[in-house]
Amino acid sequence: MIVRIMGEGQLDVGSAELAALNELDGRVEAAIEAGDETAFRAALHDLLENVRNVGKPLPADSLEPSELILPPADSAMEEVRKMLGDEGLIPD
């Protein structure tokens, strides 16, 4: 799966990693629903860090379409709330 972290670039993330990413995505959603800024920051950081760790960066000039777009680390909670779909940032 090709994942874009806004402002950082694209990474190729294996399908075997999706379960762990969905768990982290659930933490982001729960923090937003609770209105807990501290938990939101930690959960978003953990999600993005995990994607960076398991993903293989694509070249900057790559023209691959992104299957998933994640917000940058400095996103406001309300901005991320608007990005959430019925299945969160990362669909099942």
Side-chain angles (χ1 to χ4, degrees), residues 68-92:
L68 180 61
I69 299 175
L70 296 176
D74 62 352
S75 295
M77 193 163 43
E78 190 56 37
E79 290 174 323
V80 177
R81 180 189 314 273
K82 291 177 184 175
M83 291 181 72
L84 291 173
D86 291 339
E87 298 183 7
L89 293 169
I90 302 173
D92 292 331

Side-chain angles (χ1 to χ4, degrees), residues 40-90:
F40 165 73
R41 286 275 147 234
L44 182 59
H45 169 46
D46 291 348
L47 173 62
L48 296 177
E49 192 63 26
N50 190 285
V51 169
R52 291 180 196 113
N53 287 334
V54 301
K56 295 179 182 88
L58 296 180
D61 61 352
S62 175
L63 298 176
E64 295 288 323
S66 298
E67 298 168 76
L68 180 61
I69 299 175
L70 296 176
D74 62 352
S75 295
M77 193 163 43
E78 190 56 37
E79 290 174 323
V80 177
R81 180 189 314 273
K82 291 177 184 175
M83 291 181 72
L84 291 173
D86 291 339
E87 298 183 7
L89 293 169
I90 302 173

